[in-house]
Amino acid sequence: MAFTFAAFCYMLTLVLCASLIFFIIWHITAFDDLRQDFKNPIDQCNPARARERIRNIERICNLLRTLVVPEYCIHGLFCLMFMCAAEWVTLGLNIPLLLYHLWRYFHRPADGSEVMYDPVSIMNADILSYCQKESWCKLGFYLLSFFYYLYSMVYTLVSF
Amino acid sequence: MSNSGYNSQNGAGGQPYTNGPSPNPVVLQPPGQGYGMAGQPLYSNQIPAKTPLPPVNAPAPGLYNSGPYQNAPPLSTYQHATPTSASAQSFYPGSQNPPQPAWQYGVPPPRGAAPLRPVGNHVTSVPSSAPTPPSSSGYSVAPPFASHNASHPPGPPPPPVSLNSYAHPGPTPPSMSPVPPQPYLPGRPPYAGPAPPAMRPTAPPTGAPGSATPPSPHHPQHEGAGQPPGLGDVTKAAHAFDHLETGVKHIAGLPPPPLPGANRPMGHSYPTLPPGYQNMAGPPNASSVPPGQQPYSPAAQPYQQPSVGPAQLSPSMAAMSLQTQTPEALRVVNLLQERNLLPQGATPAPTPCLPQDLQRVNCNPEVFRCTLSSIPQTQSLLNKAKLPLGLLLHPFKDLSQLPVVTSSTIVRCRSCRTYINPFVSFLDQRRWKCNLCYRVNDVPEEFMYNPVSRSYGEPHKRPEVQNPTIEFIAPSEYMLRPPQPAVYLFVLDVSHNAVETGYLDVVCQSLLDNLSTLPGDTRTKIGFITFDSTIHFYNLQEGLSQPQMLVVSDLDDIFLPTPDSLLVNLNECKELVQDLLKALPQMFVKTMETQSALGPALQSAFKLLSATGGRVSVFQTQLPSHGVGALKSREDPNLRASAKDIQHLSPATDFYKKLALDCSGQQVAVDLFLLSGQYCDLASLGCISRYSAGSIYYYPSYHHQHNPAQVECFQKDLKRYITRKIGFEAVMRIRCTKGLSIHTFHGNFFVRSTDLLSLPNVNPDAGFAVQMSIEENLVDMQVVSFQAALLYTSSKGERRIRVHTMCLPVVNSLSDIFAGADVQAITGLLASMAVDRSVTASLSDARDAMTNASIDSLSVFRSSVLTIQQPGLLAPRCLCLFPLYILALLKQKAFRTGTSTRLDDRVYAMCQLKYQPLSYLMLMIHPSLYRVDDLTDEGALNVSERTIPQPRILQLSVERLTRDGAFLMDTGSVMYLWVGKNCNPNFLVQVLGVPNYAAVPQSMNQLPELDTAESIRTRTFIGWLREQRPFFPILHVIRDESQQKAGFMQNLIEDRTESALSYYEFLLHLQQQVSKRRAEVRRRKLLMNSEDRMNRIVGYSKNDGESNVDRPGMKPRFHLDLDRTEPWSTPVPSGRLSPFATAVTSSNHHGEVLERRGSPVLESGDMLIGDVEEEVATGALRQRSQGEMQGDGVSRSPRRGLQKYLSRFDDAMRLRGQVAGAKSSQDSNSEPEELDSFRLFRLFGSVILAIAVRVFVCKYLSIFAPFLTLQLAYMGLYKYFPKGEKKKKTTVLTAALLLSGIPAEVINRSMDTYSKMGDVFTDLCVYFFTFIMCHEILLLFGSEIP
């Protein structure tokens, strides 16, 4: 029974991981929200509705965008902490995602403020489905890693 | 009705049937540029001409005073005397092309003369049929075709002879018979049922007798896929006529035709149309509905009648070659040898092979077009074909005839909301089945009544079900708020720079002139904003004595000074508006303000319009420098030419994009007019229009004095812009049959939902492109449909829905897909995709992607479709222009590298590529070159009493220019009239109005209006070209010293420039890549074979046999895949081509060059020479080296006994090389063997594995287990790993085997297996060695690790 730094790391990441899972779930619902459109012709052809819809898309994209950087930061923090705690296996598990995040971040559209999720292109079906798939994969990953962290935390606390 | 608002400025071009008889009908008539309509409409137009038929035929005998059968002699001459027709017939894979003079540089195109005769035949055919009409009343249903056809059969003279008998002089009638006679059903037969047989009658061997015709793939009515009416399709067209004729005749009750089963459905359906409807049943968009529109048809008849005449033949032939299309579209063309591939006139769109009754009502290809006119059944098939699948739309095109329906209920599918269309099937009178989601719907009561025929109970004859393009006036439930009024706001830059250019005068004057024609009704509003570093509003409130200017200088917080009087009703305040327009140009003459606050001005415009929506027209002359949205210059002029990759193609700020989205939400569209000499960052500014569905106009270096040509251009464009039709608060939804899905849109709009585009404004000059994928297999479907519905508010305040529906067949073989490929649409779509790619990735990426697209499709065609392999770069006829277009794209302003191109020009070109409708786009990609100094009235087009000469389109190459001619190049937005140094003085005097060449002015932008025949001809021709597009192309008359000459030369895309390949070199490059790919595929196949054997030995069954065709690592989507990018832009060493080709080519080159030596364009000529010499040199070198090798072999062989063996071995190895196909194409240039990274990885892996096994698992497992697993996995995955080009290794083993007499073939087969076993063996060795070492070391150190 030892409360090592590693154990602390796992406890912290456990909490943060839960928040990441919520982020992702929010992402998924947001994409669903984007995808669903009113099939009622009268509704969707109504100019007033158009305004609302565009606002909606913009709002969702803005929210999505505000979540991107925190998510990446939190995940980066995981990696940093595991590195400090010399938990190499865990670090190794997280490295691919870290690299993916870095790649994603640096391949964003070039114009200034926007990280990704550009409201003008998000509704293209291929981009939307890509984003959706990405979110589902991440959700799976975070869920698995959540339990892994839980197990590891207990393990480090119990051992020695 | 709807016609009232149409501005048919460009409408004239779209109606080929308006042609009259040409004065000299014997000459082949180039098809009218409006071919798109020619296919169907042409045919159906004949129906209204029913009654007036006799006069039609009457003149013919007069012209050609011939008895019924006099045509026999010309026919015979036809068959013998026209070499082109013979070669054209040899499209069948089996028959060898008689080698046409390869690559005919300088050789006068054989087309010019040859087709004359066939046409002559057609002409003579007219009289032959003349006697028949009296025999039957019903005969006149299809007058022109019947008449032409009948004359054709060379052998059997009697009138009822069908054209089939021409193809088969014998009585063999099998061709048409599969079509069962379809009794006319009250509803159109659902095409799931009887349609298929009609759709694919196995195409009869309609070739010339004697040519080997394998059972051709079924594409019977595939109309004119890139088929130039020149080369020999004349004959085929003739067959097609026949088929038609047989059908018609049958109906007409003529003496029984040879083919009793040959009835085409259309033959039945036409006569049964209700009498009131017959006039309307014509062109797809022929008006059908309101009785008010009926008068049109009689009016149109004078046009249609002449079209029966002989001059019409060739377009109609191109359109009508229904049966024999398949071979034509798929005819193999060796691009390296056939040079004259350009069609004579405009390239027509291929016609999908649908049953006639469906095709008759299919959408006009100018409006709605698909890249593949036959849709593949599955996504994997589409991936295999490596052609992009997408739609190109021009939904709001000005149409001359458009049925408009007003009804209280619009019939739509209840589940997918599809509008009822011609392709739905009626189960019975009360129910219809949606063709997109297959739901069965009820027919509402109102729909049972047909307003056209005033009859009840015939829902299938309603205009909605008869027209693919139709407009509904939406009932009130489609608007929850009153439709918006037409609101126009003009935002004008009045900074010093702007005043300097003097554009204000033009804008104000144009507006003054056209104020009354501004589309709108009594509610129309108008407003003005000007800006420099401050924003000026104009109070135009009624009652003021003069306009009142209000200046807002607080740019951080824009407010509207008097919000309700800035936008005023145009009718009520017309005088004030006019006063303002008159005063405006003078108001800022003295301004010294240089700043430009575009951002705040746009914000205020948005605020002003956000209550109503409307159109903002922004005129900007410099980089915005003040307030929000200010931009910095990002262009470094020094890097224009040298930069490897172009930077700054994406916007610098998202201000404009966000504002555009706000605008889009408030139904405001922003149109941008950029008149600037310097860099304006169009990449950033353009966003404001792109996402608000506006349009962009760019006039580089506009100045009212220095650049009068631009001024004229600007004036004309502005006039069109102000007066053209406009739709407000529009949305467009594109639906497609279940299983297909849309995934990317191109154009100017905001994507609001996955299939819904939000278009605050829609204008008739906007085009859209859509990429699609196949999500579910379309296995049990015969056809799929697409529907684009555009809901908009017209300028009169009506809510209208314009619906276009297109129907395409589904096919399941690669050859059918290729046969239906529409090369222009593919090019257009690829261009849009490449624009996206160059913004998101990089320009070079996009360029490579385009090149790869052509390589991919050609290599697939070669490996999967072609059964007989020939040397050369083979392409199907329908795709034969594909490499040319790709090269043109690569040399287009948007994508070119190496040539100095201003960033704004480039970005503007990119915008155009995405935004222009296909027909205009193609000119921008591949300009047309005409020779105009010898224009004649031969084959001229007659449109509304003007005779428009139709010169041939020439290849874009210096070699086509002669110094004694004058050439017109039409690049869409600019026209160049290049005058040669020794130009015919007649031309100079009569057309240019100058005494001699030296007197041609340096810059000349219009032709003087001289009263000579030549001048009139030239001017009508140019005017006619201009009329066909909504923008105004400037004309530059250039001579050798002109500044514009560079622009002209750059457009000669088939020539080599210092930074880009010539067309021929490009083809060679393609050929090289294609054969490389083929080699790769073959090697993989061989590998698979050997692996199979190996697996059989191991007892491991292979599960995916198909993957050998698919290359590994393919992205799922075909388009623009860059995996195997070979940098091509570096000049390629001429790869191996057959010595024959080289010789021919080079000699031709030489002849050409010698001829051209003195031509005025010397630098290109020189380039050409260098090029040629290089080629000749390499060719000679190669031949010599081959000769040497052979000689050596001969002299060496008898030396010793062992040498004999060795030489035999050499032979075997060579054979092996051929069989393996490795480097079959380029054995001459040996590439250095690349580092096989996978091999290294494997060895390294073995080492690690050995260590790991020793350290950790050796206690618990057999030490072999992990290794064997790895090996097995490796063998399974082997084919997915890239394999470097392997050198032919002369191993001892092989040598021994060969010497022992085992046939080389066998060794080849097993070679790969052996090499693989060798690999395994190596791995094992490494593994054991490491393991033992590891073990020893551990023992040595006596570690305590277990």
Side-chain angles (χ1 to χ4, degrees), chain B residues 628-712:
Chain B
V628 283
L631 297 168
K632 291 199 177 62
S633 178
R634 296 190 288 170
E635 188 188 31
D636 182 358
N638 300 326
L639 289 181
R640 272 181 200 154
S642 60
K644 203 76 189 126
D645 242 339
I646 310 299
Q647 303 295 314
H648 309 307
L649 289 174
S650 50
T653 165
D654 63 345
F655 168 77
Y656 294 99
K657 192 201 293 181
K658 284 189 167 146
L659 188 60
L661 288 192
D662 290 340
C663 287
S664 179
Q666 303 293 345
Q667 307 294 346
V668 177
V670 183
D671 293 332
L672 184 64
F673 287 81
L674 206 55
L675 312 114
S676 160
Q678 304 109 28
Y679 175 69
C680 261
D681 203 351
L682 187 59
S684 305
L685 289 184
C687 287
I688 189 78
S689 297
R690 184 177 313 154
Y691 301 119
S692 66
S695 38
I696 300 172
Y697 294 82
Y698 178 50
Y699 303 91
S701 50
Y702 179 90
H703 196 278
H704 66 294
Q705 283 168 344
H706 305 157
N707 205 344
Q710 286 276 33
V711 176
E712 190 192 357

Side-chain angles (χ1 to χ4, degrees), chain B residues 303-320:
Chain B
Y303 290 168
Q304 291 160 356
Q305 283 181 20
S307 76
V308 178
Q312 263 306 308
L313 267 177
S314 56
S316 62
M317 278 185 317
M320 294 311 297

Side-chain angles (χ1 to χ4, degrees), chain B residues 276-343:
Chain B
Y277 206 77
Q278 277 180 358
N279 277 345
M280 321 300 291
N285 35 20
S287 74
S288 63
V289 198
Q293 234 164 352
Q294 288 203 4
Y296 177 84
S297 302
Q301 279 189 5
Y303 290 168
Q304 291 160 356
Q305 283 181 20
S307 76
V308 178
Q312 263 306 308
L313 267 177
S314 56
S316 62
M317 278 185 317
M320 294 311 297
S321 51
L322 298 176
Q323 287 295 314
T324 51
Q325 265 310 307
T326 313
E328 178 53 31
L330 275 183
R331 199 187 98 208
V332 178
V333 176
N334 186 350
L335 296 178
L336 290 173
Q337 290 187 357
E338 283 184 47
R339 180 94 202 278
N340 292 319
L341 291 169
L342 278 181

Side-chain angles (χ1 to χ4, degrees), chain A residues 34-35 37-39 41-51 53-55 57-58 62 65 109-114 118-121 123-128, chain B residues 412 417 477-478 480-481 650-654 657-658 661-662 664-667 691 729 731 733 735 742-745 750-756 758 791 799 1117:
Chain A
L34 279 180
R35 194 177 270 276
D37 193 60
F38 290 81
K39 287 283 179 209
I42 295 162
D43 224 14
Q44 73 190 199
C45 299
N46 177 10
R49 164 94 187 97
R51 211 161 303 158
R53 171 81 184 165
I54 289 178
R55 293 236 176 92
I57 292 175
E58 272 194 281
N62 274 329
R65 267 185 261 145
D111 52 339
S113 62
E114 316 198 339
D118 188 355
V120 297
S121 60
M123 289 312 299
N124 275 345
D126 53 344
I127 296 179
L128 194 59
Chain B
R412 304 175 67 175
R417 310 300 305 167
E477 71 219 44
Y478 282 80
L480 289 192
R481 70 169 194 181
S650 50
T653 165
D654 63 345
K657 192 201 293 181
K658 284 189 167 146
L661 288 192
D662 290 340
S664 179
Q666 303 293 345
Q667 307 294 346
Y691 301 119
E729 44 185 5
V731 287
R733 188 180 286 274
R735 296 182 174 86
I742 290 167
H743 66 77
T744 309
F745 296 94
F750 174 73
V751 194
R752 213 163 86 196
S753 174
T754 46
D755 60 348
L756 186 71
S758 159
L791 171 67
R799 204 78 173 128
R1117 262 174 292 137

Side-chain angles (χ1 to χ4, degrees), chain B residues 1309-1323:
Chain B
R1309 288 281 167 75
S1310 41
M1311 207 53 200
D1312 289 307
T1313 316
Y1314 291 136
S1315 74
K1316 202 158 176 196
M1317 288 174 80
D1319 284 349
V1320 174
F1321 186 69
T1322 329
D1323 288 356

Side-chain angles (χ1 to χ4, degrees), chain B residues 70 129 152 177 299 324 354 580 598 606 632 644 661 828 831 916 952 955 994 1009 1036 1051 1078 1081 1105 1183 1189 1227 1283:
Chain B
Q70 270 193 353
S129 69
H152 241 279
S177 50
T324 51
L354 286 168
L580 176 64
L598 178 65
F606 166 64
K632 291 199 177 62
K644 203 76 189 126
L661 288 192
Q916 288 292 349
R952 292 179 39 93
Q955 272 124 25
V994 293
E1009 301 203 1
H1036 292 293
N1051 278 314
R1078 266 177 66 225
V1081 169
Q1183 278 165 355
M1189 265 170 51
D1227 45 3
K1283 202 75 178 97

